[in-house]
PDB file of all heavy atoms in Angstrom:
ATOM      1  N   ILE M1523      29.991  27.182 -12.244  1.00  0.00           N
ATOM      2  CA  ILE M1523      31.173  28.032 -12.401  1.00  0.00           C
ATOM      3  C   ILE M1523      31.742  28.433 -11.041  1.00  0.00           C
ATOM      4  O   ILE M1523      32.960  28.441 -10.829  1.00  0.00           O
ATOM      5  CB  ILE M1523      30.799  29.276 -13.229  1.00  0.00           C
ATOM      6  CG1 ILE M1523      30.509  28.875 -14.679  1.00  0.00           C
ATOM      7  CG2 ILE M1523      31.900  30.317 -13.175  1.00  0.00           C
ATOM      8  CD1 ILE M1523      29.854  29.970 -15.475  1.00  0.00           C
ATOM      9  N   LEU M1524      30.852  28.776 -10.094  1.00  0.00           N
ATOM     10  CA  LEU M1524      31.324  29.131  -8.759  1.00  0.00           C
ATOM     11  C   LEU M1524      32.002  27.946  -8.072  1.00  0.00           C
ATOM     12  O   LEU M1524      32.970  28.126  -7.327  1.00  0.00           O
ATOM     13  CB  LEU M1524      30.148  29.630  -7.916  1.00  0.00           C
ATOM     14  CG  LEU M1524      29.520  30.966  -8.329  1.00  0.00           C
ATOM     15  CD1 LEU M1524      28.331  31.291  -7.437  1.00  0.00           C
ATOM     16  CD2 LEU M1524      30.549  32.088  -8.274  1.00  0.00           C
ATOM     17  N   MET M1525      31.500  26.739  -8.346  1.00  0.00           N
ATOM     18  CA  MET M1525      32.124  25.556  -7.766  1.00  0.00           C
ATOM     19  C   MET M1525      33.521  25.335  -8.342  1.00  0.00           C
ATOM     20  O   MET M1525      34.454  24.963  -7.616  1.00  0.00           O
ATOM     21  CB  MET M1525      31.253  24.327  -8.011  1.00  0.00           C
ATOM     22  CG  MET M1525      31.800  23.041  -7.405  1.00  0.00           C
ATOM     23  SD  MET M1525      31.980  23.119  -5.597  1.00  0.00           S
ATOM     24  CE  MET M1525      30.259  22.907  -5.109  1.00  0.00           C
ATOM     25  N   VAL M1526      33.692  25.576  -9.624  1.00  0.00           N
ATOM     26  CA  VAL M1526      35.021  25.474 -10.233  1.00  0.00           C
ATOM     27  C   VAL M1526      35.969  26.486  -9.600  1.00  0.00           C
ATOM     28  O   VAL M1526      37.130  26.183  -9.301  1.00  0.00           O
ATOM     29  CB  VAL M1526      34.931  25.693 -11.756  1.00  0.00           C
ATOM     30  CG1 VAL M1526      36.319  25.839 -12.367  1.00  0.00           C
ATOM     31  CG2 VAL M1526      34.192  24.534 -12.420  1.00  0.00           C
ATOM     32  N   ALA M1527      35.471  27.712  -9.387  1.00  0.00           N
ATOM     33  CA  ALA M1527      36.295  28.733  -8.750  1.00  0.00           C
ATOM     34  C   ALA M1527      36.655  28.344  -7.323  1.00  0.00           C
ATOM     35  O   ALA M1527      37.755  28.648  -6.840  1.00  0.00           O
ATOM     36  CB  ALA M1527      35.553  30.068  -8.758  1.00  0.00           C
ATOM     37  N   ARG M1528      35.762  27.675  -6.638  1.00  0.00           N
ATOM     38  CA  ARG M1528      36.041  27.259  -5.263  1.00  0.00           C
ATOM     39  C   ARG M1528      37.072  26.131  -5.215  1.00  0.00           C
ATOM     40  O   ARG M1528      38.009  26.159  -4.405  1.00  0.00           O
ATOM     41  CB  ARG M1528      34.747  26.795  -4.594  1.00  0.00           C
ATOM     42  CG  ARG M1528      34.954  26.257  -3.177  1.00  0.00           C
ATOM     43  CD  ARG M1528      33.702  25.596  -2.645  1.00  0.00           C
ATOM     44  NE  ARG M1528      33.915  25.027  -1.329  1.00  0.00           N
ATOM     45  CZ  ARG M1528      33.036  24.276  -0.682  1.00  0.00           C
ATOM     46  NH1 ARG M1528      31.881  23.988  -1.260  1.00  0.00           N
ATOM     47  NH2 ARG M1528      33.305  23.799   0.513  1.00  0.00           N
ATOM     48  N   LEU M1529      36.916  25.135  -6.085  1.00  0.00           N
ATOM     49  CA  LEU M1529      37.796  23.964  -6.062  1.00  0.00           C
ATOM     50  C   LEU M1529      39.140  24.232  -6.727  1.00  0.00           C
ATOM     51  O   LEU M1529      40.140  23.585  -6.405  1.00  0.00           O
ATOM     52  CB  LEU M1529      37.115  22.786  -6.748  1.00  0.00           C
ATOM     53  CG  LEU M1529      35.805  22.285  -6.131  1.00  0.00           C
ATOM     54  CD1 LEU M1529      35.194  21.181  -6.999  1.00  0.00           C
ATOM     55  CD2 LEU M1529      36.023  21.791  -4.713  1.00  0.00           C
ATOM     56  N   GLY M1530      39.160  25.153  -7.686  1.00  0.00           N
ATOM     57  CA  GLY M1530      40.372  25.392  -8.452  1.00  0.00           C
ATOM     58  C   GLY M1530      40.565  24.379  -9.561  1.00  0.00           C
ATOM     59  O   GLY M1530      41.565  24.424 -10.284  1.00  0.00           O
ATOM     60  N   THR M1531      39.639  23.460  -9.703  1.00  0.00           N
ATOM     61  CA  THR M1531      39.651  22.458 -10.775  1.00  0.00           C
ATOM     62  C   THR M1531      38.232  22.272 -11.290  1.00  0.00           C
ATOM     63  O   THR M1531      37.260  22.538 -10.576  1.00  0.00           O
ATOM     64  CB  THR M1531      40.193  21.096 -10.288  1.00  0.00           C
ATOM     65  OG1 THR M1531      39.332  20.608  -9.238  1.00  0.00           O
ATOM     66  CG2 THR M1531      41.605  21.221  -9.773  1.00  0.00           C
ATOM     67  N   ALA M1532      38.126  21.807 -12.524  1.00  0.00           N
ATOM     68  CA  ALA M1532      36.815  21.516 -13.109  1.00  0.00           C
ATOM     69  C   ALA M1532      36.579  20.019 -13.007  1.00  0.00           C
ATOM     70  O   ALA M1532      37.070  19.237 -13.825  1.00  0.00           O
ATOM     71  CB  ALA M1532      36.763  21.981 -14.564  1.00  0.00           C
ATOM     72  N   GLN M1533      35.837  19.616 -11.980  1.00  0.00           N
ATOM     73  CA  GLN M1533      35.589  18.207 -11.724  1.00  0.00           C
ATOM     74  C   GLN M1533      34.392  17.718 -12.543  1.00  0.00           C
ATOM     75  O   GLN M1533      33.345  18.370 -12.562  1.00  0.00           O
ATOM     76  CB  GLN M1533      35.310  17.977 -10.238  1.00  0.00           C
ATOM     77  CG  GLN M1533      36.441  18.364  -9.308  1.00  0.00           C
ATOM     78  CD  GLN M1533      37.520  17.294  -9.253  1.00  0.00           C
ATOM     79  OE1 GLN M1533      37.366  16.211  -9.813  1.00  0.00           O
ATOM     80  NE2 GLN M1533      38.620  17.594  -8.582  1.00  0.00           N
ATOM     81  N   PRO M1534      34.500  16.572 -13.202  1.00  0.00           N
ATOM     82  CA  PRO M1534      33.346  16.033 -13.933  1.00  0.00           C
ATOM     83  C   PRO M1534      32.164  15.703 -13.033  1.00  0.00           C
ATOM     84  O   PRO M1534      31.031  15.624 -13.511  1.00  0.00           O
ATOM     85  CB  PRO M1534      33.908  14.754 -14.576  1.00  0.00           C
ATOM     86  CG  PRO M1534      35.384  14.935 -14.589  1.00  0.00           C
ATOM     87  CD  PRO M1534      35.702  15.750 -13.389  1.00  0.00           C
ATOM     88  N   SER M1535      32.405  15.534 -11.736  1.00  0.00           N
ATOM     89  CA  SER M1535      31.338  15.162 -10.804  1.00  0.00           C
ATOM     90  C   SER M1535      30.547  16.353 -10.283  1.00  0.00           C
ATOM     91  O   SER M1535      29.594  16.175  -9.518  1.00  0.00           O
ATOM     92  CB  SER M1535      31.935  14.403  -9.613  1.00  0.00           C
ATOM     93  OG  SER M1535      32.891  15.206  -8.931  1.00  0.00           O
ATOM     94  N   ILE M1536      30.918  17.561 -10.687  1.00  0.00           N
ATOM     95  CA  ILE M1536      30.181  18.739 -10.243  1.00  0.00           C
ATOM     96  C   ILE M1536      28.717  18.616 -10.680  1.00  0.00           C
ATOM     97  O   ILE M1536      28.424  18.335 -11.829  1.00  0.00           O
ATOM     98  CB  ILE M1536      30.800  20.023 -10.820  1.00  0.00           C
ATOM     99  CG1 ILE M1536      32.160  20.295 -10.171  1.00  0.00           C
ATOM    100  CG2 ILE M1536      29.883  21.234 -10.617  1.00  0.00           C
ATOM    101  CD1 ILE M1536      32.894  21.478 -10.761  1.00  0.00           C
ATOM    102  N   GLY M1537      27.827  18.855  -9.754  1.00  0.00           N
ATOM    103  CA  GLY M1537      26.404  18.828 -10.070  1.00  0.00           C
ATOM    104  C   GLY M1537      25.724  17.492  -9.862  1.00  0.00           C
ATOM    105  O   GLY M1537      24.499  17.400  -9.998  1.00  0.00           O
ATOM    106  N   ASP M1538      26.483  16.474  -9.514  1.00  0.00           N
ATOM    107  CA  ASP M1538      25.879  15.145  -9.345  1.00  0.00           C
ATOM    108  C   ASP M1538      24.847  15.120  -8.226  1.00  0.00           C
ATOM    109  O   ASP M1538      23.898  14.324  -8.276  1.00  0.00           O
ATOM    110  CB  ASP M1538      26.963  14.099  -9.068  1.00  0.00           C
ATOM    111  CG  ASP M1538      27.783  13.772 -10.307  1.00  0.00           C
ATOM    112  OD1 ASP M1538      27.423  14.247 -11.406  1.00  0.00           O
ATOM    113  OD2 ASP M1538      28.795  13.043 -10.184  1.00  0.00           O
TER     114      ASP M1538
END
Side-chain angles (χ1 to χ4, degrees):
I1523 291 168
L1524 292 177
M1525 182 60 77
V1526 170
R1528 176 190 177 187
L1529 299 175
T1531 61
Q1533 299 280 353
S1535 60
I1536 290 175
D1538 287 353

